[in-house]
Amino acid sequence: MTNTLALLGGEPVVSAGLPHFVWPPIDGATEGKILGQLRTAVSIPGRSGIVAELEDALQDYFGARHAVTLSSGTSALHAAYFAARIKPGDEVIVPAWTFHATASPLFHLRATPVLCETGPDGNIDPTRVEELITPRTRALMVTHLWGRPAAMLALQGIADAHGLALLEDGSHAHGASHSGKKIGTFGRAGAFSLNGPKPLSGGEGGFVLTDDDDTYYRLLTFAHYNKRAKSEIPERHPLARYAVTGAGLKLRIHPLAAALAHDQLGHLDAYLAGRAGIAAYLAAEFARIPGLEVIPMPDGVVPSWYGLTLVYHPEELGGLGIERFHQALLAEGAAEFDRPGSTCPLNRLPLYQGPSLLFPGHPDAQRHYKAGDFPVAEHVHTHMIKLPVWHREQDLELAASYVRAAVKVSDHHEELLT
Ligand SMILES: *Cc1c(COP(=O)(O)O)cnc(C)c1O
């Protein structure tokens, strides 16, 4: 192997064929379960069959009284806001940096997302929440970015002190925990995506956890009208009379997606344990490489390692820009080194800068977020390089080749400065 950077014509460090990361893991048993479902039922209007099995398994795994499956994480979040009785004009505090669907459903409820600055780890900064609370604030929504649990004890304290509904977007953090308690079970409701790359995947789908019966009935009314609402909302409950129509939307998970998610849930803890081992190796190695910082995990948390996040420090590499550093990593064949794209500070997105073209008369129309409003979140976002975390022991060799690629680019950074 020559030592010339691949970007400058040298031999790439990583020689393994693509793709380097495949998710969700699918084996013969997975295929058998999905074929079995295909032959059993491909539409399930009530809480029965694979939908009931998946919801029961989710309730057991998370220790929640109710789990409601839906068609996507986005619809799970929309349903969670509806169930929390968010109404027109209400304000909901959300992290400035998250995938937009954490907050975007609020526009459909004519409520206002109020963005909150994050800490250097990308999670909502609990010391910046209270300054945003007004008489119209109803709820606090928390994302656990890249599977790193947010400061739940402080956030729960703030929500309790101000009478806000605490909601979670656990879409990066299935199986992660804080202080021994599973992410998604801290507040009124926890919403999750089951989309393709998420730690627990059904390909497409989502679910909401809650311990509260009234929230459960509102979730059913929002997403599962007719048969399921009729059979599960008690006759004496005020929502029972709406069962035929619900709130007008139908957002069921597909039974084949439910079968895939059910299969994957049985492996989730093993996946997470495997990821933790490879993440520990990667974090120790990257921490030694000039130009890269590994943000330490706080004590008392178990992450899901949806992504291993590195912060790039150009000042340690003669001012080399992150774009060129990243290009050099990719040229070494380390194709999974990624810079966050659509998961960005929301103040940079047109929907958050001016929602009124899409939502005429939206109460937020006079508030204009703009680039630069959230310097901490925006700095980390523009300096972040992330990797998916492998879970199989046989992937350690591939992980090691990614480390060698980063060492090589860091060592040779001066050649990229000219
Ligand atoms: C993926 C994701 C969503 C949306 O989930 P879909 O299933 O794609 O609709 C919401 N929030 C976060 C944090 C996500 O990563």
Side-chain angles (χ1 to χ4, degrees):
M1 188 181 85
T2 77
N3 253 340
T4 312
L5 289 172
L7 192 62
L8 304 176
E11 192 79 14
V13 170
V14 183
S15 54
L18 294 172
H20 290 167
F21 186 83
V22 176
W23 200 261
I26 289 172
D27 60 15
T30 312
E31 290 171 2
K33 288 182 197 170
I34 292 177
L35 263 181
Q37 186 57 44
L38 183 63
R39 292 170 182 141
T40 309
V42 289
S43 171
I44 300 178
R47 190 182 188 281
S48 64
I50 189 64
V51 169
E53 282 172 45
L54 174 58
E55 292 184 359
D56 286 346
L58 290 167
Q59 286 164 197
D60 283 352
Y61 182 85
F62 286 94
R65 286 195 56 221
H66 303 287
V68 182
T69 51
L70 296 99
S71 55
S72 70
T74 306
S75 56
L77 287 150
H78 195 174
Y81 287 126
F82 177 88
R85 294 191 152 75
I86 302 303
K87 60 183 189 307
D90 283 353
E91 295 177 0
V92 177
I93 297 172
V94 302
W97 186 10
T98 179
F99 183 62
H100 77 87
T102 303
S104 301
L106 288 166
F107 291 108
H108 293 267
L109 296 167
R110 303 271 152 177
T112 300
V114 174
L115 308 186
C116 180
E117 180 64 288
T118 73
D121 65 356
N123 275 335
I124 193 165
D125 180 347
T127 70
R128 303 296 302 274
V129 173
E130 280 179 304
E131 67 199 63
L132 301 172
I133 296 176
T134 75
R136 298 199 302 170
T137 310
R138 286 291 163 271
L140 170 60
M141 171 60 89
V142 181
T143 302
H144 309 275
L145 205 64
W146 316 119
R148 169 190 291 267
M152 290 317 291
L153 303 185
L155 293 164
Q156 196 165 40
I158 294 166
D160 289 349
H162 295 271
L164 308 180
L166 180 63
L167 303 170
E168 291 175 84
D169 181 349
S171 296
H172 292 181
H174 314 69
S177 63
H178 190 301
S179 311
K181 195 170 159 62
K182 285 245 160 53
I183 290 310
T185 64
F186 279 83
R188 176 89 56 89
F192 292 78
S193 169
L194 292 169
N195 183 241
K198 304 296 163 73
L200 177 63
S201 178
E204 296 287 355
F207 62 95
V208 181
L209 305 174
T210 185
D211 284 340
D212 176 54
D213 289 344
D214 190 62
T215 301
Y216 177 59
Y217 302 140
R218 287 185 67 82
L219 290 169
L220 294 184
T221 302
F222 188 77
H224 292 274
Y225 61 54
N226 212 10
K227 193 164 175 190
R228 182 162 178 185
K230 271 187 202 154
S231 63
E232 283 185 73
I233 301 175
E235 257 172 61
R236 57 182 160 69
H237 194 277
L239 290 176
R241 59 193 286 257
Y242 297 98
V244 171
T245 59
L249 300 180
K250 176 186 167 228
L251 300 164
R252 280 183 216 147
I253 193 169
H254 194 291
L256 297 183
L260 177 54
H262 186 265
D263 167 73
Q264 295 291 305
L265 183 58
H267 301 287
L268 179 57
D269 281 342
Y271 294 161
L272 296 183
R275 283 181 173 191
I278 293 188
Y281 161 76
L282 287 172
E285 294 296 322
F286 286 129
R288 286 201 279 268
I289 301 177
L292 294 177
E293 178 195 359
V294 178
I295 305 172
M297 276 296 157
D299 288 337
V301 308
V302 177
S304 70
W305 294 113
Y306 179 49
L308 182 117
T309 51
L310 305 167
V311 178
Y312 179 66
H313 287 273
E315 72 281 3
E316 294 176 9
L317 299 183
L320 177 68
I322 186 169
E323 209 147 309
R324 192 128 167 94
F325 182 82
H326 182 225
Q327 287 304 316
L329 289 174
L330 296 180
E332 295 300 334
E336 292 292 340
F337 277 117
D338 185 30
R339 298 184 60 200
S342 57
T343 299
C344 70
L346 304 185
N347 55 307
R348 299 192 159 199
L349 298 170
L351 176 59
Y352 290 81
Q353 294 179 347
S356 55
L357 190 64
L358 301 181
F359 298 96
H362 189 272
D364 193 28
Q366 59 279 40
R367 185 198 303 260
H368 295 292
Y369 286 114
K370 57 186 187 315
D373 285 345
F374 298 99
V376 178
E378 292 173 75
H379 180 87
V380 194
H381 170 256
T382 51
H383 289 79
M384 181 167 281
I385 293 178
K386 63 186 182 65
L387 265 186
V389 181
W390 295 275
H391 72 283
R392 303 177 308 175
E393 241 177 84
Q394 66 260 41
D395 289 323
L396 253 177
E397 177 44 39
L398 185 59
S401 71
Y402 272 61
V403 170
R404 290 197 301 276
V407 169
K408 181 179 172 191
V409 174
S410 178
D411 283 354
H412 289 254
H413 69 275
E414 283 181 358
E415 295 157 33
L416 295 169
L417 288 168
T418 50

